[in-house]
Amino acid sequence: LRSAGFLFFLEKALGMSGLIADPGTFGSGVHNALSGGYLRLHGDINYAKTQRLHRSVIVMVYLNPDWEESFGGHLELWSRNLTSCALRVLPTLGRVVAIANDMSYHGYPHPLRAPPGRSRRGVAMYYYTAMPVHH
């Protein structure tokens, strides 16, 4: 997720340039939620003052084999005015989601219903640019 090849792919796929993989893993890393867990709808920070960089892209890679619809935990992407859910993504093993971070509201706002011994896992990586990117 930090390699030059993946950065090149991401820039071409999103029509962007100058992406910088999270230099200090500020928020990037493994995410793990147990049954009952949830993440309220939110918009991520868009400027890291200490690095003087703009957070421009979020990539999630899910690590959940045999994840069933009934377990919940769908990533939901919402409209800017929070009036409608534009997309729900089941966090199944190997699924990759890239989100342009121009105040994209997202989360998994409903409590997980995973069986005992199961959790919702993924790796998040954030990408920055020197100047703000508007989509």
Side-chain angles (χ1 to χ4, degrees), residues 2-43:
R2 299 177 65 84
S3 72
F6 188 77
L7 282 169
F8 178 79
F9 166 78
L10 203 53
E11 287 178 343
K12 295 303 173 204
L14 298 174
M16 302 172 79
S17 62
L19 288 179
I20 303 164
D22 190 349
T25 57
F26 180 63
S28 294
V30 176
H31 293 197
N32 187 49
L34 302 174
S35 191
Y38 63 95
L39 180 61
R40 289 188 337 215
L41 293 175
H42 65 283

Side-chain angles (χ1 to χ4, degrees), residues 92-135:
T92 58
L93 178 65
R95 182 158 287 159
V96 177
V97 178
I99 305 168
N101 189 35
D102 54 350
M103 283 314 295
S104 302
Y105 289 97
H106 59 280
Y108 50 99
H110 310 287
L112 294 177
R113 299 177 305 276
R118 297 294 307 266
S119 63
R120 182 188 187 275
R121 298 172 297 163
V123 174
M125 178 59 79
Y126 300 104
Y127 299 87
Y128 294 84
T129 52
M131 300 298 293
V133 177
H134 301 286
H135 305 278

Side-chain angles (χ1 to χ4, degrees), residues 21-100:
D22 190 349
T25 57
F26 180 63
S28 294
V30 176
H31 293 197
N32 187 49
L34 302 174
S35 191
Y38 63 95
L39 180 61
R40 289 188 337 215
L41 293 175
H42 65 283
D44 285 348
I45 65 159
N46 59 7
Y47 186 70
K49 283 182 7 181
T50 56
Q51 290 94 356
R52 296 185 193 164
L53 294 172
H54 298 267
R55 188 182 283 181
S56 299
V57 177
I58 307 159
V59 171
M60 288 293 302
V61 179
Y62 292 106
L63 307 172
N64 306 298
D66 304 316
W67 194 260
E68 298 177 12
E69 285 277 340
S70 63
F71 297 171
H74 297 75
L75 173 66
E76 295 186 6
L77 305 177
W78 281 69
S79 62
R80 280 184 186 265
N81 60 7
L82 293 172
T83 58
S84 63
C85 178
L87 184 65
R88 294 181 77 229
V89 179
L90 189 68
T92 58
L93 178 65
R95 182 158 287 159
V96 177
V97 178
I99 305 168

